[in-house]
C-alpha cells in the first residue's frame, strides 16, 4: 500500500498542483459462502480483503469533478449539474454514477479533484467495481462532511452500478466493501440488510483466492436464466404458501413436501438455493465458534451444490477446486461469485500457504495449461480513511 499512497500523492500534485486533503480506501471482497442466494432475498457471508482502490481527493470551487485513474492513466472531468454517460472512458461511469445518486439522494456536493489507484484485479471476481464505488463515495463523504450510514452508501453504489453503469448486481459487493471489518466476515440478510460480524482470525487460516483465468463468458444470459427459474420456483411455492415472496421463504421441509410438483430444472434450482441459505446460516454458527474444519465442509458442499443443482460451474473451476482441495493444509475449495469462470476461494492453514501456492500453480497448469493468479487474503476493514494530510 505505501507505494500506491506515494503514487497517488505524486499523481495528484502533478495534475492538481496541490496535495490531497485525505486518502481513503475501498476494498475488494470475496464471498466465503452464499452462492446465488443474494437475489433470492437470502443470506451471504462475504469478507473485505487486502486489495483495494485508494482514492485521494480535495475540494474545488467550480462545481466540477475531476477524476484520474492511475490504472487507466486517464483524467476525466465532468460538471456536477450535468452528469452524462461516458462512452470513451467507461471506467469513469462508476464514479459518475455514485456522484449522480448521491445528489439524487439529496446530498449537496461541492466540486472535487480525485486521484485513484487500485490493486484489485479487474474483472476477476474480487469486485473492483464495488471497490471504486465505495472508495469514491467515501472520499466524497469525507471531503464534503455529510452524514450517511454505511448501508445507505452501499445502496448508492449499487444504484450507480445498476442504473448508471447498467450492470444488474445485488447489494453484497458494495455492502461488504463499505462495511467490512478486520478479522471478521460479514453475515448479511439481503432482504432486510440486517448484518452481523462473524470473527475470522486470518492469522490461523488464510483465505486464498485462485483466479482460474477463465473469463466469465456466458455469465449474463445464464445468470438471467437462473434468476427467472428462481422466480418461477418462488411463484409456484406462493400458490401453496401465500407468504412466500422469494425462495428465501422456502424451508427445506417445504421443498421436500412439494418437490415432485415442480418442473425438474426448477426443482434443482430451488434445492440449491434452499440448501445454500441453510448452509450460510450454519456457517455463521460454526465460523463464530472457530470451527474451520466444519466451515470448510460447508464451503465444499456449497460448491458441489452450485455445480450439480445450480449448474454454474465449468471445467476450469472444477480443475481448480480439485487441486485446491487436494493440497495439504487446505480446508476447502469452492467457486467464488456467480460461477462460469472467475475465481475459487479456499481456506488454507497458515503454515501451509507457501506450499499451497506452489502446488496449486503447478497442478492447475498441468490440468488446464492456464497459469492461475493466486491471492493470499486477510479480512480487512471496509471503506475507511488511510491518511489525512
Ligand atoms: P469486477 O469483477 O472486478 O468488479 P466489473 O466488470 O464489475 O469487474 O468492474 C470492473 C470495472 O470497474 C473496470 O472495467 C473499470 O471500469 C472499473 N474499475 C475498477 N477498478 C478501477 C480503477 N482502479 N480505476 C478505474 N476504474 C476501475
Ligand atoms: Mg463488479
Amino acid at each position: 500500500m505505501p507505494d500506491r499512497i506515494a503514487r497517488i500523492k505524486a499523481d495528484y500534485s502533478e495534475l492538481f498542483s496541490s496535495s490531497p486533503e485525505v486518502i481513503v480506501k475501498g476494498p475488494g471482497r470475496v464471498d466465503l459462502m452464499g452462492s446465488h442466494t443474494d437475489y433470492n432475498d437470502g443470506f451471504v457471508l462475504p469478507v473485505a480483503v487486502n486489495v483495494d482502490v485508494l482514492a485521494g481527493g480535495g475540494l474545488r470551487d467550480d462545481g466540477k469533478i475531476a477524476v484520474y485513474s492511475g490504472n487507466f492513466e486517464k483524467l476525466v472531468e465532468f460538471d456536477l449539474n450535468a452528469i452524462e454517460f461516458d462512452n470513451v472512458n467507461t471506467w469513469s461511469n462508476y464514479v459518475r454514477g455514485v456522484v449522480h445518486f448521491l445528489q439524487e439522494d439529496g446530498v449537496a456536493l461541492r466540486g472535487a479533484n480525485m486521484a485513484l489507484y487500485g490493486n484489485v484485479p479487474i474483472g476477476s471476481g474480487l469486485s473492483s467495481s464495488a471497490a471504486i464505488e465505495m472508495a469514491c463515495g467515501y472520499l466524497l463523504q469525507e471531503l464534503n462532511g455529510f452524514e450517511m450510514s454505511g448501508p445507505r452508501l452501499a445502496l448508492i453504489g449499487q444504484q450507480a452500478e445498476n442504473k448508471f453503469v447498467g450492470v444488474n448486481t445485488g447489494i453484497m459487493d458494495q455492502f461488504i466493501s463499505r462495511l467490512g471489518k478486520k478479522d471478521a466476515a460479514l453475515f448479511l440478510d439481503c432482504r432486510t440488510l440486517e448484518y452481523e460480524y462473524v470473527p475470522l482470525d486470518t492469522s490461523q487460516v488464510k483465505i486464498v483466492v485462485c483466479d482460474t483465468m477463465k473469463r466469465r463468458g456466458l455469465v449474463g444470459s445464464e445468470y438471467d436464466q437462473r434468476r427467472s427459474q428462481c422466480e418461477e420456483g418462488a411463484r409456484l411455492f406462493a400458490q401453496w404458501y401465500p407468504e412466500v415472496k422469494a425462495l428465501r421463504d422456502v424451508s427445506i421441509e417445504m421443498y421436500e413436501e412439494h418437490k415432485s410438483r415442480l418442473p425438474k430444472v426448477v426443482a434443482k434450482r430451488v434445492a440449491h438455493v434452499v440448501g445454500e441459505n441453510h448452509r450460510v446460516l450454519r456457517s455463521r454458527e460454526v465460523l463464530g465458534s472457530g470451527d474451520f474444519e466444519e466451515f470448510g465442509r460447508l464451503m465444499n458442499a456449497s460448491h458441489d451444490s452450485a455445480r450439480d443443482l445450480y449448474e454454474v460451474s465449468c471445467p476450469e473451476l472444477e480443475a481448480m477446486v480439485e487441486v485446491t482441495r487436494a493440497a495439504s493444509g487446505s480446508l476447502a475449495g469452492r467457486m467464488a461469485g456467480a460461477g462460469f469462470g472467475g475465481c475459487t476461494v479456499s481456506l488454507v492453514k497458515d503454515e501451509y500457504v507457501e506450499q499451497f501456492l506452489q502446488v496449486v500453480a503447478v497442478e492447475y497448469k498441468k490440468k488446464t495449461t492456464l497459469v492461475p493468479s493466486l491471492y493470499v487474503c486477510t479480512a480487512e476493514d471496509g471503506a475507511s480513511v488511510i491518511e489525512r494530510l
Side-chain angles (χ1 to χ4, degrees), residues 128-156:
S128 65
S129 57
I132 186 176
E133 287 153 12
M134 291 302 99
C136 291
Y138 199 73
L139 177 63
L140 289 170
Q141 201 179 335
E142 281 294 317
L143 290 175
N144 289 277
F146 58 89
E147 294 282 322
M148 181 170 281
S149 73
R152 184 88 217 137
L153 188 64
L155 284 164
I156 292 213

Side-chain angles (χ1 to χ4, degrees), residues 154-208:
L155 284 164
I156 292 213
Q158 186 197 12
Q159 277 185 304
E161 189 144 346
N162 291 174
K163 298 186 196 161
F164 199 92
V165 179
V167 182
N168 191 8
T169 52
I171 185 64
M172 176 174 81
D173 297 356
Q174 291 82 8
F175 205 96
I176 182 66
S177 180
R178 173 63 185 84
L179 286 142
K181 195 163 130 181
K182 191 162 179 57
D183 293 329
L186 183 144
F187 172 87
L188 174 65
D189 180 333
C190 296
R191 170 175 281 168
T192 62
L193 298 190
E194 283 168 338
Y195 64 100
E196 172 182 320
Y197 294 108
V198 184
L200 172 57
D201 179 357
T202 44
S203 66
Q204 287 181 56
V205 292
K206 291 285 183 291
I207 302 156
V208 185

Side-chain angles (χ1 to χ4, degrees), residues 32-339:
L32 293 177
M33 280 296 283
S35 176
H36 293 268
T37 45
D38 56 347
Y39 53 83
N40 288 298
D41 275 4
F43 309 115
V44 290
L45 189 72
V47 62
V49 295
N50 51 327
V51 287
D52 44 61
V53 172
L54 294 180
L59 290 170
R60 53 190 276 171
D61 290 325
D62 59 358
K64 288 194 169 129
I65 300 278
V67 54
Y68 176 77
S69 167
N71 302 86
F72 287 79
E73 298 186 343
K74 283 279 182 327
L75 177 67
V76 168
E77 205 176 279
F78 58 92
D79 201 299
L80 280 172
N81 295 319
I83 304 178
E84 281 164 14
F85 190 85
D86 188 337
N87 288 304
V88 180
N89 293 298
T90 50
W91 62 268
S92 82
N93 292 318
Y94 294 87
V95 187
R96 289 165 186 263
V98 168
V99 173
H100 173 80
F101 282 106
L102 279 172
Q103 295 191 121
E104 284 273 292
D105 204 45
V107 176
L109 287 178
R110 291 177 60 192
N113 294 320
M114 307 193 226
L116 316 177
Y117 196 46
N119 67 352
V120 188
I122 286 177
S124 60
L126 293 176
S127 203
S128 65
S129 57
I132 186 176
E133 287 153 12
M134 291 302 99
C136 291
Y138 199 73
L139 177 63
L140 289 170
Q141 201 179 335
E142 281 294 317
L143 290 175
N144 289 277
F146 58 89
E147 294 282 322
M148 181 170 281
S149 73
R152 184 88 217 137
L153 188 64
L155 284 164
I156 292 213
Q158 186 197 12
Q159 277 185 304
E161 189 144 346
N162 291 174
K163 298 186 196 161
F164 199 92
V165 179
V167 182
N168 191 8
T169 52
I171 185 64
M172 176 174 81
D173 297 356
Q174 291 82 8
F175 205 96
I176 182 66
S177 180
R178 173 63 185 84
L179 286 142
K181 195 163 130 181
K182 191 162 179 57
D183 293 329
L186 183 144
F187 172 87
L188 174 65
D189 180 333
C190 296
R191 170 175 281 168
T192 62
L193 298 190
E194 283 168 338
Y195 64 100
E196 172 182 320
Y197 294 108
V198 184
L200 172 57
D201 179 357
T202 44
S203 66
Q204 287 181 56
V205 292
K206 291 285 183 291
I207 302 156
V208 185
V209 174
C210 304
D211 189 345
T212 61
M213 305 312 274
K214 159 85 169 122
R215 289 295 159 254
R216 297 161 290 172
L218 278 174
V219 71
S221 58
E222 293 281 345
Y223 181 86
D224 292 342
Q225 196 190 50
R226 296 300 181 287
R227 282 186 82 135
S228 44
Q229 289 162 343
C230 289
E231 281 160 20
E232 189 185 342
R235 267 198 307 277
L236 290 169
F237 271 94
Q239 297 175 2
W240 305 311
Y241 304 94
E243 71 276 18
V244 170
K245 301 276 180 284
L247 290 185
R248 137 70 171 285
D249 302 310
V250 178
S251 67
I252 293 176
E253 295 72 28
M254 286 155 75
Y255 168 73
E256 287 298 329
E257 183 163 342
H258 292 281
K259 64 183 176 192
S260 61
R261 300 163 73 185
L262 298 170
K264 223 171 163 186
V265 174
V266 173
K268 281 197 200 179
R269 308 303 187 238
V270 174
H272 167 74
V273 173
V274 170
E276 185 74 355
N277 273 326
H278 182 72
R279 281 185 291 273
V280 183
L281 290 167
R282 278 280 299 146
S283 296
R284 173 176 61 173
E285 284 169 32
V286 301
L287 195 57
S289 60
D291 187 349
F292 289 118
E293 303 276 341
E294 181 59 17
F295 183 53
R297 283 190 281 275
L298 289 163
M299 287 175 71
N300 286 343
S302 162
H303 177 86
D304 296 351
S305 170
R307 175 191 61 215
D308 300 335
L309 297 172
Y310 219 67
E311 298 176 284
V312 291
S313 194
C314 65
E316 293 80 4
L317 281 171
E318 288 313 304
M320 189 64 91
V321 161
E322 199 178 312
V323 304
T324 55
R325 285 183 186 176
S328 304
S330 165
L331 298 173
R334 71 178 278 275
M335 67 178 81

